[in-house]
Amino acid sequence: MDYSIPHDPTYYGMFDFVHIDEKWFYLTQKSQRVYLANNEPKPHRIGKSRTKIPNFMFMAAVARPRWGDDGNCEFDGKLGIFPFTNSVAAKRTSKNRVKGTLETKPVKSVNQIATRAMMINMLIPAIKEKWPPHVGEKVIYIIQDNAKAHILQSDPEWQQHYKQDGFTFVLTQQPANSPDCNILDLGFFRSIQSLMHKKMPKTVEDLSGAVIDAYKELHPKTLSNVWMTLQYVGNEILKHKGDNNYQLPHNKKKILEDEGNLPEQVKAPIWAVNECTQLYDEWKANQ
């Protein structure tokens, strides 16, 4: 936060941030460990090829969870996870379905057209529906990576929708070559994927349901911890002067929480902030 520099540099609370990202989820893994009871039959998996496992791309959106003074979760931060799929009628009858049956098919090419439609038709309504009550205008910053399929704030069609019902949605790009600056890449996707594979879906329809169920089942505390880790990652980036050559920090969040010392907003090391400020001023002077 600007006013905390240079004497007590503290990170912004990020409660008006929404992080979005896309990920491929596969129907199964090439190899998977399972635990069986005595005489329990081994699960049987069928696939055309080990190299062509069915998969879907999903767009997920998360915000920072909010907790009440009594420790109860007032807003879980999970805005939704949306598959890039189409419903296509079967062209001919087979042993599995009759002609005309609607089948779920993945979108073949996730480009700006598909991304724009997903954000306008799915993401914005989800935020408006689930966002916690707030007095006055609500400005929501949507953080995304720099993939070519993502649109910018200046996109003409987005400009027609970014203000609705007291909400203002601002698209912002995360720093380049910094996947740890996105909550989903930092750890949330990994947690969802682990839960999803435990369900062992058999069909592509099951896959979509398994991913959505895993997303809903994941405890808000897990998401809240990833938001805390993001602030500690910011400290590592400052210490390395913007480089990404660092190890992910482990700050014993569980122990700090049990002791009642887990901060909502992390403080940055003063020396690192001052060095980076000096480095930026030198770069700006040479432009």
Side-chain angles (χ1 to χ4, degrees):
M1 296 182 292
D2 292 346
Y3 63 82
S4 69
I5 298 174
H7 304 294
D8 187 30
T10 306
Y11 284 98
Y12 183 63
M14 305 182 188
F15 288 105
D16 53 358
F17 286 10
V18 171
H19 283 227
I20 66 170
D21 202 7
E22 296 82 25
K23 178 175 175 57
W24 288 104
F25 284 92
Y26 289 81
L27 183 62
T28 185
Q29 298 171 302
K30 289 184 179 180
S31 61
Q32 187 169 347
R33 177 178 294 179
V34 295
Y35 295 90
L36 304 174
N38 289 334
N39 301 320
E40 182 180 355
K42 294 182 180 179
H44 183 54
R45 297 184 298 167
I46 298 175
K48 293 182 179 180
S49 170
R50 289 168 61 92
T51 61
K52 295 182 179 180
I53 299 174
N55 58 357
F56 281 166
M57 179 175 279
F58 289 76
M59 173 187 283
V62 296
R64 189 170 186 183
R66 289 157 171 75
W67 305 87
D69 295 334
D70 55 359
N72 292 326
C73 182
E74 297 179 345
F75 171 57
D76 63 9
K78 293 185 282 187
L79 299 170
I81 185 165
F82 316 107
F84 286 94
T85 58
N86 291 322
S87 295
V88 180
K91 295 182 178 180
R92 57 183 64 86
T93 299
S94 73
K95 65 178 182 179
N96 297 319
R97 75 284 183 276
V98 298
K99 180 179 179 180
T101 302
L102 291 179
E103 296 182 299
T104 302
K105 300 289 186 181
V107 173
K108 293 182 179 180
S109 176
V110 178
N111 50 25
Q112 283 194 356
I113 297 174
T115 302
R116 183 189 297 110
M118 182 68 75
M119 296 180 69
I120 293 174
N121 299 326
M122 302 298 291
L123 178 60
I124 288 180
I127 296 175
K128 289 165 57 179
E129 176 189 352
K130 299 180 180 180
W131 202 257
H134 179 79
V135 177
E137 185 180 7
K138 296 176 276 288
V139 180
I140 311 298
Y141 296 92
I142 301 175
I143 316 297
Q144 56 185 355
D145 62 25
N146 297 274
K148 292 182 179 180
H150 286 162
I151 61 174
L152 302 177
Q153 181 68 18
S154 58
D155 181 81
E157 193 169 342
W158 175 261
Q159 285 290 313
Q160 300 175 20
H161 298 86
Y162 82 101
K163 283 191 174 183
Q164 297 184 21
D165 303 326
F167 286 87
T168 300
F169 302 101
V170 181
L171 294 180
T172 306
Q173 265 54 40
Q174 69 189 56
N177 303 319
S178 303
D180 293 336
C181 289
N182 189 290
I183 291 296
L184 295 154
D185 282 332
L186 187 56
F188 198 62
F189 270 148
R190 194 177 302 114
S191 301
I192 296 172
Q193 187 167 259
S194 177
L195 274 177
M196 184 273 291
H197 282 304
K198 290 180 180 179
K199 299 178 182 296
M200 301 192 72
K202 298 291 192 300
T203 65
V204 289
E205 288 80 7
D206 293 342
L207 170 61
S208 180
V211 172
I212 294 172
D213 288 345
Y215 176 85
K216 292 179 178 178
E217 291 170 10
L218 206 61
H219 198 279
K221 183 59 70 175
T222 301
L223 177 57
S224 188
N225 287 341
V226 181
W227 279 95
M228 290 296 304
T229 301
L230 176 64
Q231 298 182 52
Y232 288 114
V233 165
N235 282 348
E236 296 303 312
I237 293 174
L238 288 172
K239 293 175 184 177
H240 291 78
K241 296 182 175 62
D243 199 353
N244 57 11
N245 183 26
Y246 57 83
Q247 299 294 322
L248 283 178
H250 297 280
N251 300 92
K252 301 179 180 178
K253 293 184 287 293
K254 176 61 176 171
I255 295 176
L256 290 174
E257 182 181 10
D258 292 342
E259 295 174 348
N261 296 322
L262 185 65
E264 191 173 82
Q265 295 168 253
V266 174
K267 297 186 182 299
I270 297 177
W271 64 267
V273 173
N274 291 337
E275 286 186 3
C276 289
T277 302
Q278 181 181 355
L279 187 67
Y280 172 75
D281 290 340
E282 293 174 356
W283 170 82
K284 192 174 182 180
N286 293 328
Q287 295 303 305

